[in-house]
Amino acid sequence: MGSTNSTLIKIPNVEELMQETGFSTAHIIRLHDRFKELDKERRGYLCPRDFEAIKGLAINPIGDRIIGAFFSPGRETVDFYTFVRILAHFRPADNSRPKESSSPEPINSRTNKLKFVFQLYDLDKDGKISRIDLLKVLRGMLEMQVTEEQLDSIVDRTIQEADLDGDDAISFEEFRKSLEKVNIDHKMSIRFLR
Amino acid sequence: STSVGFYLWRTVFILCLVNPLMQGLNGEESHHHHKETNITGLQIVKFQWHHVEAPYLVILWVLVAGVAKLSVIELNHHVTSVIPESGMLIIIGFILGGIVWAADMQQTFKLTPTNFFYYLLPQIILDASYFMPNKLFFRNLGSILIYAIVGTCWNAAAVGLSLWGCYEAGAMGHMDIGLLQFLLFGSLISAVDPVAVIAVFEEVHVNEVLFILVFGESLLNDGVTVVLYNVFEAFVTLGGPRINATEIFNGIVSFFVVAFGGSFLGILFAVLLCLLTRRTKNIQIIEAGFIFVVGYLSYLTAEMFSLSAILSITFCGVCCQKYINANMVEKSVTTVRHAMKLLANGSETIIFVFLGITAIDKAIWVWNTGFIILTLIFVFIYRIIGVFFLTWILNKFRLVPIEVIDQVVMSYGGLRGAVAYGLAAMLDEDRIKEKNVMISTTLIVVYFTVILQGISMKPLVQWLKVKRAAHSDLKLVEKLNNRAFDHILAAVEDICGRIGDNWWTRGWNRFEEKYISWLLMKPKARKNRDYLFSIFHKLNLEDAINYVSEGERQGSLAFVRSEQAANIDFKKQFDSEFADMMPDMNYEMGIENISVTSIVKDSIPSVCLDIHGQDRKKSVDDFNAHHLLQQHLYRSRKHHRHKYSRSHFSINQSEDEMQEIFQRTMRSRLESFKSAKMSVNPAKKIKHYRKEQTHMMANGHAKSADYLYEVEAGIENPAFMPDMDTTTQSPPWLTETEMDTVVAPSQRAQRRLPWTPNRLRRLAPMRISNSSTDSFLMADVFITEEEPAQKDQTKM
């Protein structure tokens, strides 16, 4: 379609983006449309307010964290590339793609998906999920009537289960290990992004 | 238990009363006429059985069926965990049939096709379609259609041909039958029955996709069944030699006409219904009746044109639900829902009881072992083959593949029921000499699927699950993460706007909101469509109602006015039974579930009054952290969805969660905003921020790119101006831990309701904005007309 090509031309470095993220042309175009839709003031980038305006996120317990994940530390804006790169995490894994050992792991690999989630939990970015991080996450996901003591006990047990080296925090490896039975690809993939 | 015995005895008693009565009376008919002509004196009281005979019998049987259902429910705890309710009802039908047979030596009460198709089936289908989860249904519509059309055709052809093959091979002895008749039989036995599916799946908790696939298939395959049945019946009449390519072509064309015609007719009636309910502002008492009348009319009209009646009434219900729920007053909505459930329940009970009774009839039984056993085998096997093959194909196109376990359940869940029996009973015995063989076989198949497969369905599902999730005790960290994943996915889906295969959905939504809702919904209802609004409105209503009913229970509302720590916790305690029902379809309809009357009259929600403050501090040691997590994790949008149950429709408890999450999110945003704003021009930012927030509040969708929304209305409440001295006035919800804190209610609340320390913030939900009469305080929408006008602006 003529419009397809013209849209593609408007986005510089599209080829690179497609290569890196594995999205097809159609996907990139749709994401671009969505980006434009969110970017109401047509500035070419998104800021937190644009995300906050999305309906479902306000009633999502970790909606704000996810919004935060789009913005690299210190930055207040998200451009289209970052937008696409973050969303690429949610592509279903391509089992059909030949595994080239030389090329870097695709963004939507299991490890990278887990890394994404890990970063959502690890607010202070020290590479470990400490008690405080976990407390905050849990507090956000639990109903209000859970008291602090109850919350503490849950956090304690959770860390106990996952913590293997006894440092009272969950490192990425421990995190990955604790989730080995979970079908990450299924749980962390968006339908349409195939 | 004694009550069971009591009910059974009552039933038996009634029947024994009735039977000889009717025997005698039928014989006395002639005497009566005779007597009429030579009355000798004035009879003060006459026994006029013949006047009331027909309706009396009907009502009596309805009563009997109801009592039967009661006895089944009484047995609930012991037996029904094994045998599904429908199976129990059939067995009771056997007993009753036996009694009647013993009295009469003939089966005076049977399930006639006319009664079944015209008086018993429509309400079940209407109920099913009215409570159908539309989003789920339409999202899976492609798969459902494939199963319904291709699957049913395959089943019909395979079963018919195999049976014919076996007959030719001599397995069934000698019968006066031909290929076409086998195909006819195949077509009527291949239809998965919606009544049976609902009845069995209701007690088995399967995931929503699986349920909707089986259930949707059972509804939509009627289009195919009707066509096949009519086509083959016509072919049988025509006779073998006269079937040529034209006729076959006609058959195929008739499929399209019947199926699409029926659906289209249903949609037409749905439009009519919505237009009617749009006009019922002044006569609210009858508006609940329209759906039943128009629904039934759609069924009959389709039947009149020999189109698919089930498809017609299905699409009528499916298409109209959203609009009539919006158009009708809350009371009417409740009425409709209760009445639907009542009728559907009643019909289902009667159908199953009569399915049992009909069996006890010597006249119809022609036992052809070969036929029966081969039918059972073929039906079973071809269902499995069909499902697996079609799923294999579908999984190439589906975005979420259907798993093997689900396929097994789907094939096992291909239940046949009363529809098959009705079709068999409608066969013309002159043309089809072996009608009784077919009826007998159909009955056996129905009993087999409903009773045996029904019994084994639950254990099968559990067994399969157990096998798969051998580590069924998920660790805490897994549980937590699973839930987090759900939330993450939901959020990312929202961010992506669900484009891709949902692009059409979005386009359709836009079209629908602009044109269709305009046509079919009351203008007032359209304004109130906003998602978050309605949540808060209904929650406020709920709170107010609970408040009043609790106060009345206490004797007066005075107790809440005291300054002491009278903590009123309005948390609803739900019956634990209700917690694990089948998928709840009502969530789709959103918040209209909660109606004023249901809260007041319903005995289920009870209010926990906690007068002595935080007594509920349990010792942490006692607490199983798992249990806590299980109970209190917010469910993601994906999870708190569909609960379908024939007998219960629960008030959705997820609105509590949503509200909490929402408040929390807003709070944290406000905090981060406040900390961020320090270096920026306060006036400009506040206005902008407030604009954004209230825009989102009032119109929660991020829709068109060109929106403008100026909130200048309302009174500036200095208590909440962020750029004031923040140390003196922190927003009330930040101090949630102090239970005595008074939350200043909105102006409206101050006028009308006394405050209560704790939950009042729910009455004045979002204090983010500086205007206290913001549009999300619903009552004010009607008082201040400027709000809707502004909202209209945003929608332009």
Side-chain angles (χ1 to χ4, degrees):
Chain A
M1 295 196 304
S3 61
T4 323
N5 290 332
S6 63
T7 321
L8 272 184
I9 292 172
K10 276 192 227 152
I11 314 168
N13 299 334
V14 151
E15 292 294 330
E16 205 182 294
L17 194 59
M18 279 167 56
Q19 179 79 312
E20 195 185 326
T21 58
F23 279 131
S24 71
T25 322
H27 289 145
I28 299 278
I29 293 177
R30 283 176 186 158
L31 286 174
H32 192 72
D33 285 340
R34 177 63 176 168
F35 186 81
K36 279 198 292 197
E37 196 189 323
L38 289 175
D39 178 20
K40 296 189 184 65
E41 297 163 28
R42 301 186 207 267
R43 290 167 298 191
Y45 56 84
L46 297 174
C47 55
R49 258 194 292 290
D50 296 317
F51 283 100
E52 284 165 6
I54 299 175
K55 168 173 117 180
L57 287 180
I59 52 171
N60 192 314
I62 48 183
D64 278 347
R65 282 176 183 240
I66 301 206
I67 296 177
F70 278 86
F71 297 88
S72 343
R75 299 203 53 178
E76 286 281 310
T77 60
V78 178
D79 60 0
F80 183 60
Y81 304 104
T82 325
F83 186 70
V84 172
R85 275 197 209 102
I86 305 272
L87 287 180
H89 282 103
F90 293 91
R91 272 187 62 233
D94 286 321
N95 294 327
S96 49
R97 262 224 208 139
K99 288 203 166 56
E100 304 149 27
S101 50
S102 54
S103 64
E105 234 177 289
I107 295 186
N108 62 340
S109 73
R110 195 193 144 95
T111 317
N112 281 327
K113 287 188 201 233
L114 282 175
K115 273 207 192 122
F116 183 78
V117 179
F118 191 77
Q119 276 156 6
L120 279 183
Y121 291 154
D122 183 17
L123 280 182
D124 48 14
K125 309 269 181 249
D126 58 357
K128 287 181 191 290
I129 305 176
S130 61
R131 281 193 89 243
I132 306 174
D133 290 331
L134 198 57
L135 257 172
K136 287 207 193 111
V137 174
L138 259 181
R139 180 79 255 176
M141 294 209 311
L142 283 173
E143 295 172 6
M144 302 273 231
Q145 66 248 34
V146 176
T147 63
E148 292 305 312
E149 294 94 357
Q150 294 166 342
L151 193 57
D152 279 337
S153 77
I154 297 178
V155 170
D156 279 333
R157 284 202 57 156
T158 311
I159 296 201
Q160 244 176 17
E161 281 174 5
D163 190 15
L164 300 168
D165 57 7
D167 59 357
D168 206 28
I170 306 179
S171 70
F172 180 66
E173 275 312 311
E174 290 163 351
F175 183 68
R176 204 224 297 247
K177 198 142 196 304
S178 69
L179 290 179
E180 56 191 359
K181 291 190 213 109
V182 177
N183 183 352
I184 299 290
D185 189 53
H186 194 67
K187 295 226 131 216
M188 280 268 294
S189 300
I190 299 279
R191 309 164 126 228
F192 81 101
L193 287 173
R194 182 176 268 254
Chain B
S1 53
T2 49
S3 37
V4 179
F6 170 67
Y7 288 122
L8 277 178
W9 274 117
R10 232 167 65 172
T11 319
V12 170
F13 178 66
I14 292 176
L15 263 175
C16 291
L17 247 193
V18 165
N19 246 300
L21 204 62
M22 290 187 290
Q23 275 276 59
L25 291 169
N26 282 335
E28 273 183 35
E29 280 263 307
S30 43
H31 287 283
H32 262 281
H33 285 298
H34 220 43
K35 273 209 181 115
E36 296 274 25
T37 50
N38 12 332
I39 42 171
T40 47
L42 180 67
Q43 285 184 295
I44 298 174
V45 174
K46 291 189 277 190
F47 190 73
Q48 307 193 111
W49 170 249
H50 57 278
H51 284 179
V52 297
E53 179 177 357
Y56 200 95
L57 283 175
V58 170
I59 289 295
L60 198 59
W61 274 111
V62 173
L63 179 64
V64 166
V67 171
K69 177 111 179 178
L70 273 175
S71 6
V72 168
I73 300 286
E74 284 300 310
L75 281 176
N76 208 11
H77 311 292
H78 316 293
V79 186
T80 314
S81 48
V82 178
I83 309 184
E85 216 175 86
S86 43
M88 289 295 309
L89 286 171
I90 292 188
I91 294 177
I92 291 193
F94 287 151
I95 301 176
L96 292 177
I99 297 175
V100 175
W101 176 262
D104 257 1
M105 279 316 173
Q106 60 161 344
Q107 192 54 262
T108 31
F109 306 106
K110 301 214 285 190
L111 185 64
T112 59
T114 323
N115 286 344
F116 173 68
F117 280 116
Y118 293 133
Y119 302 120
L120 292 175
L121 187 61
Q123 45 272 47
I124 300 182
I125 309 290
L126 186 62
D127 166 74
S129 61
Y130 183 74
F131 288 104
M132 174 86 78
N134 273 355
K135 279 207 194 93
L136 193 62
F137 179 65
F138 284 109
R139 214 186 305 160
N140 289 297
L141 190 60
S143 314
I144 293 178
L145 281 174
I146 295 288
Y147 284 121
I149 301 178
V150 180
T152 313
C153 286
W154 152 255
N155 272 327
V159 170
L161 288 172
S162 316
L163 282 176
W164 178 67
C166 291
Y167 170 70
E168 293 292 321
M172 297 176 203
H174 178 72
M175 291 202 299
D176 181 2
I177 201 167
L179 167 65
L180 285 170
Q181 302 192 7
F182 274 116
L183 285 173
L184 177 60
F185 178 70
S187 66
L188 71 87
I189 201 78
S190 64
V192 179
D193 183 73
V195 181
V197 164
I198 296 176
V200 170
F201 272 73
E202 186 183 11
E203 305 177 21
V204 175
H205 309 321
V206 296
N207 63 69
E208 55 188 29
V209 173
L210 173 58
F211 175 73
I212 201 71
L213 286 174
V214 181
F215 182 55
E217 180 198 342
S218 69
L219 280 180
L220 295 188
N221 69 14
D222 180 68
V224 181
T225 313
V226 163
V227 171
L228 285 177
Y229 183 82
N230 287 332
V231 161
F232 283 121
E233 203 177 26
F235 282 179
V236 166
T237 317
L238 282 178
R242 287 215 260 155
I243 299 170
N244 51 15
T246 328
E247 300 300 331
I248 298 184
F249 178 70
N250 281 343
I252 299 180
V253 169
S254 77
F255 162 70
F256 286 103
V257 171
V258 164
F260 287 104
S263 319
F264 181 67
L265 201 60
I267 297 178
L268 210 61
F269 275 97
V271 171
L272 171 67
L273 179 59
C274 300
L275 289 175
L276 275 174
T277 52
R278 206 186 147 170
R279 294 251 171 256
T280 55
K281 192 165 115 180
N282 298 318
I283 184 67
Q284 288 163 357
I285 198 71
I286 63 165
E287 61 181 358
F290 281 122
I291 174 157
F292 298 101
V293 168
V294 176
Y296 194 42
L297 207 58
S298 76
Y299 186 86
L300 291 177
T301 314
E303 188 66 34
M304 177 171 78
F305 288 118
S306 76
L307 303 172
S308 166
I310 292 186
L311 278 184
S312 169
I313 201 172
T314 302
F315 278 96
C316 182
V318 156
C319 297
C320 78
Q321 32 159 283
K322 175 173 161 187
Y323 304 104
I324 63 175
N325 285 334
N327 283 344
M328 295 198 290
V329 256
E330 282 178 48
K331 282 194 192 150
S332 299
V333 175
T334 317
T335 311
V336 168
R337 293 167 67 225
H338 282 284
M340 281 280 190
K341 289 296 181 193
L342 168 68
L343 286 175
N345 238 315
S347 285
E348 191 186 301
T349 313
I350 296 179
I351 290 178
F352 281 118
V353 169
F354 270 87
L355 266 182
I357 293 178
T358 319
I360 316 295
D361 183 4
K362 215 175 201 167
I364 59 166
W365 285 101
V366 179
W367 190 275
N368 185 327
T369 324
F371 197 91
I372 293 177
I373 295 189
L374 284 169
T375 310
L376 279 173
I377 296 177
F378 287 137
V379 156
F380 198 64
I381 295 185
Y382 288 127
R383 169 82 184 160
I384 298 179
I385 298 178
V387 165
F388 275 86
F389 178 66
L390 286 175
T391 315
W392 177 72
I393 295 184
L394 276 174
N395 276 344
K396 294 193 197 295
F397 299 100
R398 274 180 69 92
L399 298 163
V400 173
I402 305 171
E403 303 173 8
V404 175
I405 298 297
D406 289 348
Q407 292 172 42
V408 172
V409 178
M410 230 194 294
S411 19
Y412 202 66
L415 309 171
R416 273 67 171 173
V419 173
Y421 169 72
L423 288 175
M426 278 202 321
L427 292 170
D428 185 353
E429 48 234 353
D430 296 325
R431 305 252 171 69
I432 300 171
K433 307 280 192 254
E434 301 289 345
K435 174 178 170 176
N436 283 333
V437 177
M438 295 190 180
I439 291 186
S440 319
T441 315
T442 311
L443 278 176
I444 297 286
V445 172
V446 170
Y447 296 145
F448 186 82
T449 54
V450 174
I451 301 182
L452 275 146
Q453 276 180 249
I455 293 179
S456 48
M457 179 73 80
K458 209 175 192 178
L460 180 78
V461 167
Q462 283 170 347
W463 176 64
L464 287 174
K465 288 254 173 64
V466 165
K467 222 179 161 208
R468 261 196 22 146
H471 329 276
S472 59
D473 272 339
L474 281 182
K475 297 195 290 184
L476 263 183
V477 67
E478 284 172 352
K479 270 191 201 165
L480 186 74
N481 279 306
N482 274 338
R483 190 49 59 80
F485 291 145
D486 286 337
H487 286 307
I488 294 175
L489 263 196
V492 175
E493 270 186 12
D494 280 332
I495 291 177
C496 295
R498 295 185 175 202
I499 59 184
D501 76 309
N502 280 306
W503 188 80
W504 293 109
T505 320
R506 257 196 324 157
W508 163 256
N509 281 337
R510 239 180 278 140
F511 170 74
E512 191 259 335
E513 280 185 46
K514 244 179 134 182
Y515 299 110
I516 301 187
S517 293
W518 169 81
L519 177 69
L520 298 177
M521 258 204 228
K522 278 187 185 146
K524 196 163 77 173
R526 273 170 60 216
K527 281 181 206 155
N528 301 346
R529 255 177 323 165
D530 191 90
Y531 183 57
L532 291 170
F533 262 19
S534 4
I535 298 174
F536 284 119
H537 173 54
K538 303 287 181 178
L539 284 172
N540 289 345
L541 266 184
E542 238 184 85
D543 268 348
I545 297 295
N546 283 337
Y547 188 83
V548 167
S549 56
E550 181 56 30
E552 285 174 351
R553 212 184 69 170
Q554 289 290 316
S556 80
L557 291 172
F559 73 101
V560 293
R561 296 199 180 111
S562 77
E563 302 276 328
Q564 275 75 32
N567 274 318
I568 301 150
D569 183 352
F570 286 134
K571 174 171 162 51
K572 287 197 279 294
Q573 317 273 346
F574 286 98
D575 228 39
S576 58
E577 284 180 9
F578 288 54
D580 47 84
M581 278 299 154
M582 277 276 304
D584 175 14
M585 297 182 170
N586 291 329
Y587 186 71
E588 277 301 323
M589 301 200 294
I591 330 301
E592 290 87 16
N593 294 343
I594 302 174
S595 81
V596 169
T597 48
S598 77
I599 292 169
V600 174
K601 304 295 178 199
D602 232 343
S603 57
I604 302 158
S606 72
V607 166
C608 159
L609 191 72
D610 193 354
I611 294 202
H612 301 292
Q614 289 296 78
D615 260 358
R616 286 183 285 123
K617 285 203 192 348
K618 300 183 183 145
S619 68
V620 179
D621 302 326
D622 293 335
F623 228 104
N624 185 348
H626 275 270
H627 180 58
L628 190 63
L629 203 65
Q630 195 71 36
Q631 272 201 325
H632 291 296
L633 273 179
Y634 290 130
R635 268 158 293 162
S636 81
R637 197 183 57 228
K638 292 182 162 195
H639 276 271
H640 45 63
R641 293 277 191 115
H642 313 281
K643 278 196 174 98
Y644 183 76
S645 161
R646 173 41 52 77
S647 40
H648 312 285
F649 41 98
S650 57
I651 296 167
N652 200 312
Q653 52 195 127
S654 66
E655 276 99 25
D656 270 348
E657 291 180 4
M658 281 202 297
Q659 210 226 6
E660 279 181 8
I661 302 176
F662 191 85
Q663 285 186 344
R664 211 181 257 156
T665 314
M666 286 305 116
R667 190 191 331 147
S668 68
R669 284 189 191 172
L670 184 61
E671 277 174 25
S672 65
F673 159 70
K674 277 195 317 195
S675 59
K677 77 147 186 63
M678 282 309 168
S679 51
V680 205
N681 183 358
K684 178 173 165 218
K685 264 262 171 143
I686 289 170
K687 214 179 212 167
H688 186 59
Y689 190 77
R690 184 181 61 181
K691 179 171 97 172
E692 296 287 339
Q693 289 297 358
T694 49
H695 163 74
M696 194 196 54
M697 230 54 58
N699 184 2
H701 324 273
K703 276 201 293 197
S704 50
D706 51 345
Y707 82 100
L708 286 167
Y709 188 64
E710 295 294 323
V711 177
E712 303 301 338
I715 302 159
E716 301 284 352
N717 188 338
F720 300 105
M721 293 279 282
D723 60 345
M724 286 267 164
D725 187 2
T726 51
T727 51
T728 53
Q729 288 274 359
S730 61
W733 55 88
L734 282 180
T735 59
E736 59 169 345
T737 46
E738 303 156 47
M739 293 305 177
D740 299 341
T741 308
V742 172
V743 175
S746 73
Q747 322 251 316
R748 164 187 155 245
Q750 271 167 349
R751 269 199 304 263
R752 308 229 191 111
L753 295 163
W755 59 263
T756 133
N758 193 7
R759 284 285 187 169
L760 185 68
R761 60 183 177 195
R762 289 175 63 176
L763 288 173
M766 297 315 304
R767 307 306 301 159
I768 300 283
S769 102
N770 294 331
S771 352
S772 63
T773 55
D774 258 14
S775 47
F776 47 74
L777 293 175
M778 275 311 295
D780 297 337
V781 172
F782 306 113
I783 295 172
T784 59
E785 275 307 312
E786 58 192 322
E787 298 295 357
Q790 279 167 335
K791 275 196 66 180
D792 281 343
Q793 261 179 339
T794 70
K795 292 207 196 309
M796 290 305 145

